[in-house]
mmCIF file of all heavy atoms in Angstrom:
data_model
loop_
_atom_site.group_PDB
_atom_site.id
_atom_site.type_symbol
_atom_site.label_atom_id
_atom_site.label_comp_id
_atom_site.label_asym_id
_atom_site.label_seq_id
_atom_site.Cartn_x
_atom_site.Cartn_y
_atom_site.Cartn_z
ATOM 1 N N LEU A 58 -9.836 -8.136 -14.922
ATOM 2 C CA LEU A 58 -8.756 -8.903 -14.421
ATOM 3 C C LEU A 58 -8.985 -9.161 -12.941
ATOM 4 O O LEU A 58 -8.870 -10.249 -12.404
ATOM 5 C CB LEU A 58 -7.356 -8.264 -14.665
ATOM 6 C CG LEU A 58 -6.186 -9.019 -14.191
ATOM 7 C CD1 LEU A 58 -6.095 -10.362 -14.788
ATOM 8 C CD2 LEU A 58 -4.889 -8.330 -14.473
ATOM 9 N N SER A 59 -9.264 -8.158 -12.175
ATOM 10 C CA SER A 59 -9.568 -8.275 -10.801
ATOM 11 C C SER A 59 -10.627 -9.248 -10.444
ATOM 12 O O SER A 59 -10.530 -10.180 -9.638
ATOM 13 C CB SER A 59 -9.890 -6.937 -10.169
ATOM 14 O OG SER A 59 -10.194 -7.039 -8.834
ATOM 15 N N VAL A 60 -11.669 -9.109 -11.206
ATOM 16 C CA VAL A 60 -12.935 -10.016 -10.951
ATOM 17 C C VAL A 60 -12.538 -11.424 -11.331
ATOM 18 O O VAL A 60 -12.845 -12.380 -10.378
ATOM 19 C CB VAL A 60 -14.169 -9.502 -11.776
ATOM 20 C CG1 VAL A 60 -15.177 -10.625 -11.758
ATOM 21 C CG2 VAL A 60 -14.649 -8.160 -11.335
ATOM 22 N N ARG A 61 -11.848 -11.678 -12.351
ATOM 23 C CA ARG A 61 -11.641 -13.115 -12.726
ATOM 24 C C ARG A 61 -10.620 -13.697 -11.758
ATOM 25 O O ARG A 61 -10.866 -14.818 -11.330
ATOM 26 C CB ARG A 61 -10.877 -13.058 -14.201
ATOM 27 C CG ARG A 61 -10.797 -14.396 -14.716
ATOM 28 C CD ARG A 61 -10.100 -14.245 -16.140
ATOM 29 N NE ARG A 61 -9.709 -15.561 -16.631
ATOM 30 C CZ ARG A 61 -8.919 -15.766 -17.647
ATOM 31 N NH1 ARG A 61 -8.512 -14.655 -18.365
ATOM 32 N NH2 ARG A 61 -8.688 -16.974 -18.142
ATOM 33 N N ALA A 62 -9.677 -12.930 -11.379
ATOM 34 C CA ALA A 62 -8.572 -13.517 -10.537
ATOM 35 C C ALA A 62 -9.167 -13.812 -9.147
ATOM 36 O O ALA A 62 -9.106 -14.734 -8.445
ATOM 37 C CB ALA A 62 -7.280 -12.557 -10.264
ATOM 38 N N MET A 63 -9.914 -12.735 -8.545
ATOM 39 C CA MET A 63 -10.491 -12.931 -7.307
ATOM 40 C C MET A 63 -11.551 -14.093 -7.289
ATOM 41 O O MET A 63 -11.689 -14.827 -6.241
ATOM 42 C CB MET A 63 -11.139 -11.655 -6.693
ATOM 43 C CG MET A 63 -9.983 -10.604 -6.364
ATOM 44 S SD MET A 63 -9.036 -11.386 -4.819
ATOM 45 C CE MET A 63 -8.177 -9.812 -4.241
ATOM 46 N N SER A 64 -12.387 -14.148 -8.358
ATOM 47 C CA SER A 64 -13.545 -15.134 -8.306
ATOM 48 C C SER A 64 -12.949 -16.550 -8.326
ATOM 49 O O SER A 64 -13.523 -17.499 -7.832
ATOM 50 C CB SER A 64 -14.299 -14.859 -9.646
ATOM 51 O OG SER A 64 -15.037 -13.629 -9.581
ATOM 52 N N GLU A 65 -11.753 -16.675 -9.012
ATOM 53 C CA GLU A 65 -11.141 -17.955 -9.052
ATOM 54 C C GLU A 65 -10.757 -18.313 -7.639
ATOM 55 O O GLU A 65 -10.959 -19.466 -7.203
ATOM 56 C CB GLU A 65 -9.913 -17.986 -9.931
ATOM 57 C CG GLU A 65 -10.164 -17.944 -11.333
ATOM 58 C CD GLU A 65 -10.748 -19.345 -11.936
ATOM 59 O OE1 GLU A 65 -10.462 -20.331 -11.117
ATOM 60 O OE2 GLU A 65 -11.230 -19.340 -13.090
ATOM 61 N N LEU A 66 -10.249 -17.451 -6.830
ATOM 62 C CA LEU A 66 -9.735 -17.844 -5.504
ATOM 63 C C LEU A 66 -11.118 -18.101 -4.557
ATOM 64 O O LEU A 66 -11.037 -19.033 -3.824
ATOM 65 C CB LEU A 66 -9.229 -16.447 -4.857
ATOM 66 C CG LEU A 66 -8.666 -16.687 -3.405
ATOM 67 C CD1 LEU A 66 -7.826 -17.915 -3.253
ATOM 68 C CD2 LEU A 66 -7.931 -15.425 -2.993
ATOM 69 N N VAL A 67 -12.155 -17.325 -4.814
ATOM 70 C CA VAL A 67 -13.341 -17.633 -4.024
ATOM 71 C C VAL A 67 -13.961 -18.889 -4.387
ATOM 72 O O VAL A 67 -14.484 -19.670 -3.501
ATOM 73 C CB VAL A 67 -14.392 -16.447 -4.382
ATOM 74 C CG1 VAL A 67 -15.742 -16.709 -3.731
ATOM 75 C CG2 VAL A 67 -13.899 -15.116 -3.772
ATOM 76 N N GLN A 68 -13.999 -19.355 -5.732
ATOM 77 C CA GLN A 68 -14.673 -20.488 -6.214
ATOM 78 C C GLN A 68 -13.963 -21.706 -5.887
ATOM 79 O O GLN A 68 -14.468 -22.678 -5.543
ATOM 80 C CB GLN A 68 -15.113 -20.206 -7.629
ATOM 81 C CG GLN A 68 -16.144 -19.228 -7.935
ATOM 82 C CD GLN A 68 -16.167 -18.981 -9.425
ATOM 83 O OE1 GLN A 68 -15.977 -19.799 -10.294
ATOM 84 N NE2 GLN A 68 -16.457 -17.668 -9.793
ATOM 85 N N ASP A 69 -12.620 -21.679 -6.258
ATOM 86 C CA ASP A 69 -11.861 -22.926 -6.226
ATOM 87 C C ASP A 69 -11.230 -23.221 -4.912
ATOM 88 O O ASP A 69 -10.042 -23.323 -4.695
ATOM 89 C CB ASP A 69 -10.766 -22.861 -7.263
ATOM 90 C CG ASP A 69 -10.113 -24.169 -7.594
ATOM 91 O OD1 ASP A 69 -10.467 -25.170 -7.001
ATOM 92 O OD2 ASP A 69 -9.271 -24.276 -8.395
ATOM 93 N N LYS A 70 -12.166 -23.600 -3.996
ATOM 94 C CA LYS A 70 -11.777 -23.844 -2.472
ATOM 95 C C LYS A 70 -10.813 -24.882 -2.389
ATOM 96 O O LYS A 70 -9.999 -24.947 -1.538
ATOM 97 C CB LYS A 70 -12.889 -23.825 -1.616
ATOM 98 C CG LYS A 70 -13.748 -22.546 -1.569
ATOM 99 C CD LYS A 70 -15.025 -22.655 -0.771
ATOM 100 C CE LYS A 70 -16.048 -23.406 -1.387
ATOM 101 N NZ LYS A 70 -16.605 -22.779 -2.604
ATOM 102 N N GLU A 71 -11.168 -26.031 -3.122
ATOM 103 C CA GLU A 71 -10.309 -27.238 -2.951
ATOM 104 C C GLU A 71 -8.921 -27.001 -3.439
ATOM 105 O O GLU A 71 -7.913 -27.538 -2.700
ATOM 106 C CB GLU A 71 -10.930 -28.435 -3.782
ATOM 107 C CG GLU A 71 -12.147 -28.846 -3.276
ATOM 108 C CD GLU A 71 -12.689 -30.073 -4.042
ATOM 109 O OE1 GLU A 71 -11.933 -30.569 -4.957
ATOM 110 O OE2 GLU A 71 -13.862 -30.572 -3.863
ATOM 111 N N SER A 72 -8.633 -26.334 -4.529
ATOM 112 C CA SER A 72 -7.281 -26.113 -4.916
ATOM 113 C C SER A 72 -6.471 -25.149 -3.999
ATOM 114 O O SER A 72 -5.281 -25.189 -3.698
ATOM 115 C CB SER A 72 -7.160 -25.463 -6.267
ATOM 116 O OG SER A 72 -7.619 -24.193 -6.394
ATOM 117 N N VAL A 73 -7.301 -24.234 -3.233
ATOM 118 C CA VAL A 73 -6.743 -23.363 -2.292
ATOM 119 C C VAL A 73 -6.181 -24.198 -1.199
ATOM 120 O O VAL A 73 -5.128 -24.036 -0.868
ATOM 121 C CB VAL A 73 -7.810 -22.380 -1.711
ATOM 122 C CG1 VAL A 73 -7.329 -21.626 -0.436
ATOM 123 C CG2 VAL A 73 -8.216 -21.292 -2.869
ATOM 124 N N VAL A 74 -6.878 -25.025 -0.616
ATOM 125 C CA VAL A 74 -6.491 -25.843 0.427
ATOM 126 C C VAL A 74 -5.309 -26.702 -0.074
ATOM 127 O O VAL A 74 -4.255 -26.932 0.739
ATOM 128 C CB VAL A 74 -7.554 -26.859 1.029
ATOM 129 C CG1 VAL A 74 -7.064 -27.719 2.075
ATOM 130 C CG2 VAL A 74 -8.711 -25.898 1.569
ATOM 131 N N ALA A 75 -5.363 -27.439 -1.122
ATOM 132 C CA ALA A 75 -4.300 -28.312 -1.615
ATOM 133 C C ALA A 75 -3.026 -27.524 -1.775
ATOM 134 O O ALA A 75 -2.019 -27.952 -1.443
ATOM 135 C CB ALA A 75 -4.826 -28.939 -2.908
ATOM 136 N N ALA A 76 -3.289 -26.308 -2.511
ATOM 137 C CA ALA A 76 -1.952 -25.494 -2.743
ATOM 138 C C ALA A 76 -1.339 -25.042 -1.471
ATOM 139 O O ALA A 76 -0.089 -25.017 -1.389
ATOM 140 C CB ALA A 76 -2.373 -24.277 -3.602
ATOM 141 N N SER A 77 -2.147 -24.773 -0.508
ATOM 142 C CA SER A 77 -1.419 -24.395 0.726
ATOM 143 C C SER A 77 -0.512 -25.428 1.450
ATOM 144 O O SER A 77 0.268 -25.058 2.380
ATOM 145 C CB SER A 77 -2.471 -23.873 1.747
ATOM 146 O OG SER A 77 -3.280 -24.722 2.233
ATOM 147 N N THR A 78 -0.686 -26.638 1.050
ATOM 148 C CA THR A 78 0.193 -27.658 1.655
ATOM 149 C C THR A 78 1.433 -27.929 0.715
ATOM 150 O O THR A 78 2.202 -28.684 1.045
ATOM 151 C CB THR A 78 -0.578 -28.996 1.737
ATOM 152 O OG1 THR A 78 -0.993 -29.444 0.374
ATOM 153 C CG2 THR A 78 -1.891 -28.763 2.520
ATOM 154 N N SER A 79 1.500 -27.262 -0.487
ATOM 155 C CA SER A 79 2.573 -27.653 -1.499
ATOM 156 C C SER A 79 3.780 -26.782 -1.246
ATOM 157 O O SER A 79 4.703 -26.992 -2.016
ATOM 158 C CB SER A 79 1.994 -27.328 -2.867
ATOM 159 O OG SER A 79 1.892 -26.104 -3.102
ATOM 160 N N PHE A 80 3.712 -25.941 -0.197
ATOM 161 C CA PHE A 80 5.035 -25.112 -0.124
ATOM 162 C C PHE A 80 5.800 -25.537 1.154
ATOM 163 O O PHE A 80 5.080 -26.155 1.972
ATOM 164 C CB PHE A 80 4.529 -23.660 0.112
ATOM 165 C CG PHE A 80 3.981 -23.018 -1.158
ATOM 166 C CD1 PHE A 80 2.620 -23.065 -1.422
ATOM 167 C CD2 PHE A 80 4.823 -22.453 -1.985
ATOM 168 C CE1 PHE A 80 2.151 -22.504 -2.558
ATOM 169 C CE2 PHE A 80 4.338 -21.763 -3.221
ATOM 170 C CZ PHE A 80 3.030 -21.941 -3.520
ATOM 171 N N THR A 81 7.040 -25.345 1.264
ATOM 172 C CA THR A 81 7.898 -25.645 2.272
ATOM 173 C C THR A 81 7.859 -24.496 3.312
ATOM 174 O O THR A 81 8.766 -24.002 3.737
ATOM 175 C CB THR A 81 9.284 -25.898 1.869
ATOM 176 O OG1 THR A 81 9.742 -24.731 1.120
ATOM 177 C CG2 THR A 81 9.351 -27.023 0.957
ATOM 178 N N GLU A 82 6.610 -23.967 3.735
ATOM 179 C CA GLU A 82 6.459 -23.092 4.850
ATOM 180 C C GLU A 82 6.317 -23.697 6.187
ATOM 181 O O GLU A 82 6.512 -24.988 5.996
ATOM 182 C CB GLU A 82 5.087 -22.416 4.646
ATOM 183 C CG GLU A 82 5.009 -21.567 3.200
ATOM 184 C CD GLU A 82 5.900 -20.366 3.164
ATOM 185 O OE1 GLU A 82 6.008 -19.678 4.184
ATOM 186 O OE2 GLU A 82 6.404 -20.100 2.083
ATOM 187 N N SER A 83 6.351 -22.993 7.227
ATOM 188 C CA SER A 83 6.331 -23.562 8.435
ATOM 189 C C SER A 83 5.069 -24.308 8.738
ATOM 190 O O SER A 83 3.979 -24.005 7.998
ATOM 191 C CB SER A 83 6.503 -22.457 9.529
ATOM 192 O OG SER A 83 5.251 -21.702 9.586
ATOM 193 N N SER A 84 5.003 -25.280 9.471
ATOM 194 C CA SER A 84 3.887 -26.144 9.782
ATOM 195 C C SER A 84 2.749 -25.228 10.419
ATOM 196 O O SER A 84 1.581 -25.493 10.073
ATOM 197 C CB SER A 84 4.215 -27.264 10.674
ATOM 198 O OG SER A 84 4.695 -26.861 11.928
ATOM 199 N N ASN A 85 3.135 -24.242 11.090
ATOM 200 C CA ASN A 85 2.141 -23.362 11.629
ATOM 201 C C ASN A 85 1.425 -22.636 10.565
ATOM 202 O O ASN A 85 0.200 -22.433 10.633
ATOM 203 C CB ASN A 85 2.733 -22.352 12.643
ATOM 204 C CG ASN A 85 3.249 -23.081 13.867
ATOM 205 O OD1 ASN A 85 2.797 -24.127 14.268
ATOM 206 N ND2 ASN A 85 4.184 -22.363 14.669
ATOM 207 N N THR A 86 2.192 -22.124 9.574
ATOM 208 C CA THR A 86 1.483 -21.399 8.443
ATOM 209 C C THR A 86 0.528 -22.292 7.779
ATOM 210 O O THR A 86 -0.588 -21.908 7.388
ATOM 211 C CB THR A 86 2.555 -20.903 7.475
ATOM 212 O OG1 THR A 86 3.389 -19.993 8.218
ATOM 213 C CG2 THR A 86 1.874 -20.096 6.483
ATOM 214 N N ARG A 87 1.057 -23.556 7.482
ATOM 215 C CA ARG A 87 0.064 -24.464 6.751
ATOM 216 C C ARG A 87 -0.959 -24.805 7.595
ATOM 217 O O ARG A 87 -2.182 -24.849 7.028
ATOM 218 C CB ARG A 87 0.933 -25.801 6.386
ATOM 219 C CG ARG A 87 1.928 -25.429 5.341
ATOM 220 C CD ARG A 87 2.289 -26.767 4.712
ATOM 221 N NE ARG A 87 2.833 -27.782 5.772
ATOM 222 C CZ ARG A 87 4.209 -27.929 6.094
ATOM 223 N NH1 ARG A 87 5.094 -27.042 5.622
ATOM 224 N NH2 ARG A 87 4.448 -28.738 6.920
ATOM 225 N N ALA A 88 -0.933 -24.996 8.850
ATOM 226 C CA ALA A 88 -2.013 -25.427 9.654
ATOM 227 C C ALA A 88 -2.970 -24.243 9.795
ATOM 228 O O ALA A 88 -4.264 -24.439 9.758
ATOM 229 C CB ALA A 88 -1.616 -25.856 11.020
ATOM 230 N N SER A 89 -2.586 -23.027 9.818
ATOM 231 C CA SER A 89 -3.592 -21.886 10.039
ATOM 232 C C SER A 89 -4.302 -21.631 8.779
ATOM 233 O O SER A 89 -5.519 -21.519 8.962
ATOM 234 C CB SER A 89 -2.755 -20.600 10.264
ATOM 235 O OG SER A 89 -1.864 -20.242 9.147
ATOM 236 N N GLU A 90 -3.811 -22.006 7.599
ATOM 237 C CA GLU A 90 -4.556 -22.042 6.312
ATOM 238 C C GLU A 90 -5.551 -23.083 6.263
ATOM 239 O O GLU A 90 -6.805 -22.867 5.951
ATOM 240 C CB GLU A 90 -3.630 -22.036 5.116
ATOM 241 C CG GLU A 90 -2.817 -20.729 4.878
ATOM 242 C CD GLU A 90 -3.540 -19.679 4.223
ATOM 243 O OE1 GLU A 90 -4.770 -19.828 3.959
ATOM 244 O OE2 GLU A 90 -3.105 -18.518 4.088
ATOM 245 N N LEU A 91 -5.213 -24.230 6.738
ATOM 246 C CA LEU A 91 -6.019 -25.484 6.419
ATOM 247 C C LEU A 91 -6.956 -25.494 7.498
ATOM 248 O O LEU A 91 -8.306 -26.001 7.329
ATOM 249 C CB LEU A 91 -5.141 -26.782 6.700
ATOM 250 C CG LEU A 91 -4.244 -27.072 5.496
ATOM 251 C CD1 LEU A 91 -3.286 -28.094 5.831
ATOM 252 C CD2 LEU A 91 -4.987 -27.292 4.168
ATOM 253 N N ASN A 92 -6.916 -25.004 8.708
ATOM 254 C CA ASN A 92 -7.841 -25.036 9.780
ATOM 255 C C ASN A 92 -8.722 -23.655 9.826
ATOM 256 O O ASN A 92 -9.598 -23.573 10.639
ATOM 257 C CB ASN A 92 -7.152 -25.250 11.136
ATOM 258 C CG ASN A 92 -6.444 -26.549 11.332
ATOM 259 O OD1 ASN A 92 -6.920 -27.480 10.650
ATOM 260 N ND2 ASN A 92 -5.326 -26.590 11.902
ATOM 261 N N HIS A 93 -8.386 -22.898 8.933
ATOM 262 C CA HIS A 93 -9.042 -21.532 9.001
ATOM 263 C C HIS A 93 -10.489 -21.635 8.457
ATOM 264 O O HIS A 93 -10.842 -22.355 7.566
ATOM 265 C CB HIS A 93 -8.254 -20.674 8.063
ATOM 266 C CG HIS A 93 -8.858 -19.376 7.526
ATOM 267 N ND1 HIS A 93 -9.616 -18.463 8.468
ATOM 268 C CD2 HIS A 93 -9.048 -18.745 6.404
ATOM 269 C CE1 HIS A 93 -9.917 -17.463 7.809
ATOM 270 N NE2 HIS A 93 -9.731 -17.653 6.625
ATOM 271 N N SER A 94 -11.455 -20.765 9.116
ATOM 272 C CA SER A 94 -12.871 -20.878 8.908
ATOM 273 C C SER A 94 -12.991 -20.433 7.308
ATOM 274 O O SER A 94 -12.314 -19.527 6.769
ATOM 275 C CB SER A 94 -13.565 -19.890 9.692
ATOM 276 O OG SER A 94 -14.906 -19.659 9.198
ATOM 277 N N ARG A 95 -13.919 -21.067 6.640
ATOM 278 C CA ARG A 95 -14.100 -20.831 5.159
ATOM 279 C C ARG A 95 -15.372 -19.971 5.004
ATOM 280 O O ARG A 95 -15.956 -19.891 3.821
ATOM 281 C CB ARG A 95 -14.189 -22.116 4.328
ATOM 282 C CG ARG A 95 -13.243 -23.212 4.741
ATOM 283 C CD ARG A 95 -11.887 -22.835 4.494
ATOM 284 N NE ARG A 95 -11.545 -22.379 3.089
ATOM 285 C CZ ARG A 95 -10.448 -22.028 2.835
ATOM 286 N NH1 ARG A 95 -9.391 -21.803 3.666
ATOM 287 N NH2 ARG A 95 -10.098 -21.755 1.668
ATOM 288 N N THR A 96 -15.792 -19.209 5.921
ATOM 289 C CA THR A 96 -17.116 -18.552 5.891
ATOM 290 C C THR A 96 -17.147 -17.482 4.785
ATOM 291 O O THR A 96 -18.151 -17.578 3.927
ATOM 292 C CB THR A 96 -17.286 -17.684 7.177
ATOM 293 O OG1 THR A 96 -17.534 -18.598 8.288
ATOM 294 C CG2 THR A 96 -18.499 -16.814 7.078
ATOM 295 N N PHE A 97 -16.120 -16.724 4.536
ATOM 296 C CA PHE A 97 -16.243 -15.750 3.414
ATOM 297 C C PHE A 97 -15.872 -16.301 2.104
ATOM 298 O O PHE A 97 -16.434 -15.779 1.102
ATOM 299 C CB PHE A 97 -15.409 -14.552 3.846
ATOM 300 C CG PHE A 97 -15.835 -13.849 5.146
ATOM 301 C CD1 PHE A 97 -14.998 -13.960 6.313
ATOM 302 C CD2 PHE A 97 -17.030 -13.147 5.096
ATOM 303 C CE1 PHE A 97 -15.532 -13.459 7.499
ATOM 304 C CE2 PHE A 97 -17.427 -12.634 6.385
ATOM 305 C CZ PHE A 97 -16.667 -12.686 7.474
ATOM 306 N N LEU A 98 -15.007 -17.373 2.064
ATOM 307 C CA LEU A 98 -14.813 -17.915 0.785
ATOM 308 C C LEU A 98 -15.942 -18.673 0.270
ATOM 309 O O LEU A 98 -15.991 -19.213 -0.949
ATOM 310 C CB LEU A 98 -13.504 -18.811 0.785
ATOM 311 C CG LEU A 98 -12.187 -17.949 1.011
ATOM 312 C CD1 LEU A 98 -11.017 -18.831 0.734
ATOM 313 C CD2 LEU A 98 -12.103 -16.866 0.000
ATOM 314 N N ASP A 99 -16.915 -19.127 1.154
ATOM 315 C CA ASP A 99 -18.018 -19.849 0.896
ATOM 316 C C ASP A 99 -19.182 -18.872 0.435
ATOM 317 O O ASP A 99 -20.292 -19.382 0.054
ATOM 318 C CB ASP A 99 -18.504 -20.670 2.179
ATOM 319 C CG ASP A 99 -17.742 -21.909 2.303
ATOM 320 O OD1 ASP A 99 -17.044 -22.356 1.466
ATOM 321 O OD2 ASP A 99 -17.625 -22.311 3.417
ATOM 322 N N ALA A 100 -18.969 -17.600 0.491
ATOM 323 C CA ALA A 100 -20.019 -16.744 -0.015
ATOM 324 C C ALA A 100 -20.355 -16.975 -1.475
ATOM 325 O O ALA A 100 -19.418 -17.299 -2.321
ATOM 326 C CB ALA A 100 -19.495 -15.255 0.118
ATOM 327 N N ARG A 101 -21.587 -17.076 -1.868
ATOM 328 C CA ARG A 101 -21.942 -17.458 -3.192
ATOM 329 C C ARG A 101 -21.688 -16.328 -4.150
ATOM 330 O O ARG A 101 -21.880 -15.232 -3.871
ATOM 331 C CB ARG A 101 -23.449 -17.757 -3.090
ATOM 332 C CG ARG A 101 -23.890 -19.121 -2.460
ATOM 333 C CD ARG A 101 -25.279 -19.189 -2.179
ATOM 334 N NE ARG A 101 -25.578 -18.295 -0.983
ATOM 335 C CZ ARG A 101 -26.729 -18.399 -0.397
ATOM 336 N NH1 ARG A 101 -27.727 -19.154 -0.775
ATOM 337 N NH2 ARG A 101 -26.970 -17.450 0.688
#
Side-chain angles (χ1 to χ4, degrees):
L58 180 58
S59 172
V60 171
R61 185 177 174 193
M63 285 297 195
S64 292
E65 285 287 343
L66 177 56
V67 172
Q68 293 169 28
D69 194 355
K70 294 178 284 297
E71 288 186 5
S72 68
V73 166
V74 175
S77 68
T78 65
S79 66
F80 292 93
T81 56
E82 299 290 322
S83 71
S84 58
N85 288 340
T86 301
R87 292 197 301 269
S89 65
E90 289 283 356
L91 290 170
N92 298 326
H93 168 49
S94 167
R95 317 302 296 178
T96 293
F97 297 109
L98 292 188
D99 286 336
R101 287 162 288 186

